[in-house]
Each structure stands twice: as structure tokens, then as C-alpha cells.
Amino acid sequence: MKAKLLVSTAFLAASVSLSAQKSATITVHADQGKEIIPKEIYGQFAEHLGSCIYGGLWVGENSDIPNIKGYRTDVFNALKDLSVPVLRWPGGCFADEYHWMDGIGPKENRPKMVNNNWGGTIEDNSFGTHEFLNLCEMLGCEPYVSGNVGSGTVEELAKWVEYMTSDGDSPMANLRRKNGRDKAWKLKYLGVGNESWGCGGSMRPEYYADLYRRYSTYCRNYDGNRLFKIASGASDYDYKWTDVLMNRVGHRMDGLSLHYYTVTGWSGSKGSATQFNKDDYYWTMGKCLEVEDVLKKHCTIMDKYDKDKKIALLLDEWGTWWDEEPGTIKGHLYQQNTLRDAFVASLSLDVFHKYTDRLKMANIAQIVNVLQSMILTKDKEMVLTPTYYVFKMYKVHQDATYLPIDLTCEKISVRDNRTVPMVSATASKNKDGVIHISLSNVDADEAQEITINLGDTKAKKAIGEILTAAKLTDFGNCTGVDINSHQVCRTADCVELTVCIVECHFVDAVCACNGCNLGSAGELTALGVDSAVAIEFAGVLECINNAVVRIITCC
């Protein structure tokens, strides 16, 4: 069955020329799905860096900022809506300087520390093991703890595991009880160091492989808790690191990490998050999509040693990395988040879905106020970023069956000899048989006429959701307000991001408008939209330029 839909918005009609339309075709193989998209592909990462923890997630119970047991109420509720599956903590580079016993016990007795990696900020350790694991319980997500290998000891990490997971009459379990937690937490994911080739100790892979074997030996399973031990893996193109660890560690590890950032380089300017031209934008799309080649090469190396794919690959840091915003604290990595970042999120997730036979987790960097954040805060105000809305639109793919697709569309050559398709897409089917198709029109100038072929699938209706903006450089902030003020948009005249929900029913295999539903006022108000955005259906799906689209087909 060919589903032909037309989606156009009056809000952006002035920028859409039907005569300039391009076309694309997507065939969804609904009967060929085999792999499940692990929900952990939508993982998050929270490091003690800038205001990610203090002021972002945590303000303390005595703060005048509304909070739930010390966690910011607005941020907590936003994350709850996002269905976060797994949260990595405390780093990052911070992990290999973090000594967990400084972050337990009465807060007034906890020693302060200097965050040497990130701006030399003094931290009071009020957010520690209890605060993190309790947050994960409240959010309903799996905790992923990164242990200190760089400056810590085997004994320190072994005792931390005992403290968190032992229910016995053991020294560390009794210390935990003394600090107010009787029952042990469940901890699945344990990282044995972070970036051990760099900030985690400047090690060679041969040395780290032996060190991993030693540390992991003493990270024991207590009282039915089964650790999933993760070795510190490579940075993007370092294929030797993966080869050495697969050879020398092998099945002593459950998973191997990998980091890949969409970044121009590690010296000099990385470029502005909000001031860029079309050439910069397309370069970013090309760099972002290069993660597919990187994943393929690391997977091929892993396949050589592990044909049955028992060892997972975890991309536990990824996302955009731009220059810090002017006027912010050096080393805090605060950056704004535009529609360009939203595309990096959607295109990356489309790629990740294809490799879940080996790739079992991905953690975007980071959850609040750092790099490609879900959320930005300043004092009592909070803004949900374009990337947040992509993750919210895409959460329907969590634990769904990946459906292979064939995509035909125009491609362009961009800087640094990369090629970028003008349309990106992914599809999945959930346990109820509902097919979700996510589309991105990467074209900065023109609409796309997209024909979706569902084969023998008999769809009865389709519901769509669109994320777009007037300009690629738009971000979740009011026009004319300084980018560091984080003022929340509440009126129609300062709307820069548009999310709308549309619905129609199939009649004789063609989608005919049957009362387009634009969603609840609450959903629209979250973006400051006071009035409805007009939606029409007819003919084919016209994917407006600069838009991320999610379609649900109910079969």
C-alpha cells in the first residue's frame, strides 16, 4: 500500500515553494523486522560539569527553586516525560577524579573538591551516590555508574560496588544503612574507567587492558545483582584501541564503550552554536552521518573476535560540541541548541537503529546545560531544547522492532568530501503492531514530496507530528533576548520552534482529511504557541524544509 500524504503549514507557507519541490521515496519492509531497538539507545549522560548537576538537576531541598527532595521540579518532570531509559554518571573526565566516599553521609560533613577538569569549580559534594541512585529510581531508569580507574584504587571501586549493591551484613552495606538507605540499589551498568586513553589516565591500550582485568575482577555481584561491566573504549577513529581490547580482554567485559562527537576539531574554535551559514550546516550533517562508517569499522573489529555478538558496543558519549557561549564560564561547556542540533539528533538516531545487533546503548552528551542538552536552565527558568523534542518524538522507537527501509532521495556533496542525503528516515513496529516512521528533511531550502510505500500493510489512519522553525539558527528562546537569559517563550510573537500534531484517516488507500487534530493546548503551550498552526492533507507527504516529522500508521 502506498500512503500518500501532504503536510503543509500556514506558519511556514511563505518559505515553501511548490515549484521548487524535490521528491523522495521510502519503502518500509514491515515484514522483515528482526532486531529490537534497545530503549538504552535513548540514554542520557550527566556529568559534574558546569551547571549540569548543580543548578540543572539538583538545587537542594532548601532552595527557593521548586524541587522534589532537592531535584528541580521542572527538570524532573520534563525528564519523566522523556522516558529516560538509562542515565550515566558521574562522568566523563570527572569520573576518574571522583572519590565516592566524599559524597556520602550528612551533607554538612562532606568535603569540598576542586573540579580540575571543568573550570576549577569548587563543588560541595551534596550530590553523591544516594542522590544519583535515588533520582534514577524516581525517574524509573537504569543507573550507569562510571568508576574511578585513573586516580582511584581497586579497593575503592570494589567497596563502592559493595556499598551500592550488597544487602548482606557487610561493612559497606552497614555504612549505607547508617547513611539512611537500608535496601541495596539495583545497579546493572558499571563503567571501569572513562577515556583511559586521555583524561582517564593517558594509558596505552595494552596497559589499560591489563588494568581492566584487574579492576573488574574485584567488582563482584552481590545478592542477585548482576553487573554489566563496561570497558573504557576508543575515541571515534582509534580502531587499534578496540582491536587490542577485544584481543586482550575479550569476554571478561560485557560491553565496550565508544565516543564520537560532531565537532570541527580539538584545537582552536569549534564554531558558534547559533551563528553559522548554510555551508557550516551541511558540513555538520556530513560529520554527524560519518558516525555510521565509524560504527561499521568498530563492529567489524569486534566481529573478528566475537562472532556471536556477546560483547555490546556502547556509544556512551555523542552529540554536537560547539564553542562555549560568550559570557559563560570557561570550561563549563554551555552551548545553545538550534534546529541544526535537532537534525544531528534525528540523523544520528536513524543510524543507531540500523546497528542494534551490536550497538546496545547510546548516551547523548549531556542532559542539562552542557553540550547538546535536552534542557537549559538559568535560576528559576527552564527551556526545553530542539533536541529534547526530537527525543520526545522518537521515544516511540524504544524497545520496538526495527523495520528495514529503502530510501531514494537526492544527495549533495559537502565540505571535506562527504555526501549528505536530503532525507533521512527510520521505521519501527511496536508490540501492538503500530508502525512509527520518523523523517527528516535536511534540505535547507526546499520541500520534499515523499511517497511512503508500506507494501502489504493495510493502514487505517495516520497521525503526524512536526518539529520545525523559521530558520536553522532558531533556538528555544525569545527573539531579541540575549541568548544567555534563557527566557521562556510564552506568547505567540516569540515562537521560534513549532511542534504540531496532525491526524487523518485512510480512505481507499489515500489519506483524506477527517478533522485534523492539532493536539492539546498543553502540548502547544509548552512551546509558547497560543494559536493553532493550519495543517492540510492531500496527495503526497510534502515535508517542509528544515523539518523533523514523525508519522504513526495504525494498522
Side-chain angles (χ1 to χ4, degrees):
M1 171 186 174
K2 282 189 178 179
K4 291 190 173 182
L5 313 170
L6 172 61
V7 183
S8 62
T9 70
F11 182 72
L12 291 174
S15 65
V16 177
S17 169
L18 295 181
S19 62
Q21 272 189 353
K22 298 177 182 178
S23 62
T25 301
I26 297 172
T27 299
V28 179
H29 299 288
D31 58 344
Q32 295 181 22
K34 295 179 181 178
E35 296 293 333
I36 299 297
I37 301 169
K39 62 183 178 181
E40 289 81 9
I41 292 294
Y42 291 83
Q44 299 288 338
F45 172 32
E47 183 170 8
H48 287 250
L49 197 174
S51 55
C52 181
I53 301 295
Y54 300 107
L57 291 173
W58 177 259
V59 291
E61 295 180 72
N62 297 324
S63 174
D64 59 354
I65 296 174
N67 66 86
I68 305 168
K69 298 181 180 179
Y71 309 104
R72 283 187 69 123
T73 302
D74 51 2
V75 171
F76 177 84
N77 289 337
L79 294 177
K80 195 75 173 174
D81 288 344
L82 210 54
S83 302
V84 175
V86 60
L87 181 58
R88 180 175 179 244
W89 172 88
C93 294
F94 181 85
D96 285 287
E97 289 198 30
Y98 181 64
H99 299 285
W100 68 271
M101 293 195 80
D102 292 342
I104 60 173
K107 291 182 176 59
E108 62 273 16
N109 296 337
R110 299 181 189 181
K112 294 181 179 180
M113 69 168 294
V114 180
N115 191 332
N116 291 306
N117 284 288
W118 306 118
T121 303
I122 305 298
E123 298 198 1
D124 65 4
N125 272 312
S126 61
F127 190 97
T129 301
H130 289 248
E131 290 74 27
F132 170 68
L133 293 174
N134 289 344
L135 173 62
C136 291
E137 282 189 338
M138 293 165 65
L139 288 174
C141 71
E142 291 279 0
Y144 173 1
V145 171
S146 292
N148 182 347
V149 171
S151 70
T153 65
V154 174
E155 180 183 13
E156 180 182 27
L157 184 55
K159 285 184 174 179
W160 198 10
V161 171
E162 180 188 336
Y163 185 91
M164 292 184 284
T165 63
S166 172
D167 260 329
D169 186 20
S170 70
M172 290 300 102
N174 288 331
L175 178 59
R176 184 192 67 240
R177 294 183 183 103
K178 180 182 176 182
N179 289 328
R181 172 78 183 200
D182 180 51
K183 185 175 177 58
W185 294 280
K186 289 296 181 184
L187 174 67
K188 181 176 181 180
Y189 299 107
L190 179 71
V192 183
N194 167 78
E195 293 190 355
S196 298
W197 40 264
C199 64
S202 300
M203 304 175 199
R204 293 174 293 109
E206 295 83 0
Y207 177 78
Y208 172 75
D210 288 342
L211 206 59
Y212 172 88
R213 291 164 66 125
R214 180 178 174 220
Y215 271 73
S216 63
T217 297
Y218 298 96
C219 295
R220 306 189 187 281
N221 295 323
Y222 292 96
D223 303 310
N225 186 81
R226 205 295 192 172
L227 294 172
F228 187 97
K229 300 174 187 177
I230 302 160
S232 175
S235 176
D236 43 53
Y237 311 105
D238 185 357
Y239 304 110
K240 177 185 175 182
W241 187 281
T242 296
D243 190 89
V244 170
L245 262 66
M246 290 299 297
N247 183 26
R248 298 198 175 199
V249 177
H251 290 88
R252 290 178 177 84
M253 58 185 172
D254 297 298
L256 179 62
S257 72
L258 174 67
H259 293 173
Y260 183 90
Y261 283 99
T262 298
V263 61
T264 59
W266 298 109
S267 61
S269 173
K270 298 176 178 64
S272 168
T274 59
Q275 299 175 30
F276 53 89
N277 58 34
K278 197 183 303 182
D279 183 58
D280 296 330
Y281 163 71
Y282 282 129
W283 178 90
T284 302
M285 298 302 103
K287 172 64 173 173
C288 152
L289 288 171
E290 196 166 86
V291 73
E292 181 162 13
D293 184 61
V294 171
L295 287 172
K296 283 180 180 179
K297 290 179 178 177
H298 284 285
C299 287
T300 297
I301 294 168
M302 295 178 76
D303 289 345
K304 181 172 68 172
Y305 297 97
D306 176 36
K307 290 181 171 56
D308 295 329
K309 301 182 188 296
K310 299 294 186 182
I311 302 170
L313 181 63
L314 298 92
L315 187 67
D316 57 16
E317 290 187 30
W318 68 275
T320 58
W321 194 317
W322 310 115
D323 288 341
E324 294 159 328
E325 295 298 335
T328 61
I329 298 173
K330 184 175 176 57
H332 281 195
L333 305 190
Y334 169 78
Q335 65 187 42
Q336 260 295 349
N337 199 295
T338 69
L339 197 61
R340 176 174 64 167
D341 298 277
F343 278 116
V344 169
S346 65
L347 269 60
S348 297
L349 292 168
D350 293 349
V351 170
F352 300 164
H353 289 179
K354 297 160 64 175
Y355 296 93
T356 54
D357 59 339
R358 177 72 75 179
L359 183 66
K360 300 300 182 182
M361 186 190 295
N363 306 76
I364 190 167
Q366 292 186 20
I367 196 166
V368 187
N369 292 335
V370 174
L371 299 177
Q372 192 174 348
S373 305
M374 302 294 112
I375 299 167
L376 299 176
T377 67
K378 185 178 177 67
D379 301 325
K380 293 184 178 181
E381 298 294 344
M382 179 191 77
V383 168
L384 303 179
T385 68
T387 299
Y388 175 94
Y389 286 102
V390 170
F391 268 69
K392 190 172 183 180
M393 291 167 72
Y394 268 62
K395 71 178 183 178
V396 294
H397 297 298
Q398 293 185 19
D399 284 341
T401 301
Y402 171 70
L403 301 180
I405 64 171
D406 294 325
L407 170 60
T408 303
C409 67
E410 182 175 319
K411 300 177 182 180
I412 64 169
S413 297
V414 302
R415 198 168 73 227
D416 290 344
N417 297 315
R418 296 186 177 104
T419 301
V420 176
M422 290 294 92
V423 174
S424 181
T426 192
S428 69
K429 182 187 291 186
N430 70 12
K431 58 182 175 54
D432 298 319
V434 177
I435 296 173
H436 294 95
I437 305 168
S438 298
L439 309 168
S440 298
N441 178 15
V442 178
D443 198 310
D445 299 307
E446 299 180 17
Q448 297 281 343
E449 181 181 284
I450 302 177
T451 300
I452 302 174
N453 185 357
L454 297 175
D456 295 331
T457 300
K458 304 298 181 184
K460 297 176 182 177
K461 70 174 182 178
I463 302 170
E465 187 176 11
I466 303 169
L467 170 67
T468 190
K471 301 187 301 294
L472 287 166
T473 53
D474 285 344
F475 50 89
N477 217 1
C478 294
T479 304
V481 177
D482 183 81
I483 57 177
N484 296 319
S485 69
H486 314 314
Q487 190 169 336
V488 180
C489 293
R490 294 193 179 90
T491 60
D493 62 357
C494 72
V495 171
E496 293 186 354
L497 298 172
T498 303
V499 171
C500 50
I501 300 173
V502 298
E503 179 177 356
C504 65
H505 297 266
F506 287 107
V507 179
D508 297 329
V510 176
C511 189
C513 186
N514 187 17
C516 296
N517 175 18
L518 290 170
S520 69
E523 289 170 324
L524 296 175
T525 302
L527 279 174
V529 180
D530 289 341
S531 58
V533 179
I535 306 293
E536 296 179 357
F537 284 84
V540 295
L541 171 62
E542 178 199 329
C543 188
I544 56 180
N545 52 308
N546 306 337
V548 180
V549 181
R550 177 171 66 89
I551 300 172
I552 310 169
T553 63
C554 302
C555 308

